[in-house]
Amino acid sequence: MNTANKLTMLRVLMIPAFLMVLYLGIPFASYIALAIFIVASLTDWLDGYIARNYNQTTDFGKFMDPLADKCLVIAAMLWFVEIGQMPAWALLIVVVREFAVSGIRMQAANLGRVIAAGWSGKVKTASTMVCICLMLLPIPPVVNTVCVAVIVATTLYSGGEYLIQNKDVFSSMK
């Protein structure tokens, strides 16, 4: 297993640690969870950088890296839903978008086509990560509401753009 894939697996292992800290409710739990989340998020950037620049791109990494990212983000959002900091419908929008994009990518792959991540998807990912970091801090309710709105808006926009730009993939379905 190469370095990029090891970093991806480290991110996967950090997800239960992140949740365990929150569930145990130890002193400063949200700050410790925030530190874990930030490190895990940085491994996403780092494993991609290493894979691209040091010829460590693998099929395992292509599969596991986006899965690890989705699991990390959804784990955080599930926590926010559980503690009443995020409405479940907002999380549902995020999950449905991820399923839709993954489904389109799978169908495109069946056609021998690779769909690269678009700019709006990268903005969605970055803004979601920043919002999750803010939401792990003791912020005023209005800031929390703004964070949820940013997550939902960027998710809907990037999902819509993705569907529109790849509508030809739907026409190929039998």
Side-chain angles (χ1 to χ4, degrees), residues 42-90:
L42 290 174
T43 67
D44 178 32
W45 173 82
L46 186 58
D47 70 22
Y49 176 83
I50 290 171
R52 285 185 300 276
N53 292 300
Y54 294 96
N55 197 30
Q56 292 189 13
T57 303
T58 64
D59 289 339
F60 175 82
K62 289 177 189 175
F63 170 76
M64 200 63 199
D65 180 66
L67 181 60
D69 298 341
K70 288 171 183 48
C71 289
L72 176 63
V73 167
I74 290 171
M77 289 184 186
L78 282 168
W79 171 255
F80 296 140
V81 168
E82 185 167 329
I83 65 170
Q85 199 170 338
M86 174 181 258
W89 61 261

Side-chain angles (χ1 to χ4, degrees), residues 99-139:
F99 277 123
V101 167
S102 295
I104 292 169
R105 280 198 167 130
M106 284 190 286
Q107 178 61 19
N110 287 339
L111 300 171
R113 183 170 141 198
V114 175
I115 300 174
W119 179 250
S120 67
K122 293 177 185 199
V123 169
K124 175 208 56 99
T125 299
S127 61
T128 297
M129 296 295 199
V130 168
C131 286
I132 288 172
C133 289
L134 290 172
M135 292 170 71
L136 285 165
L137 296 170
I139 57 175

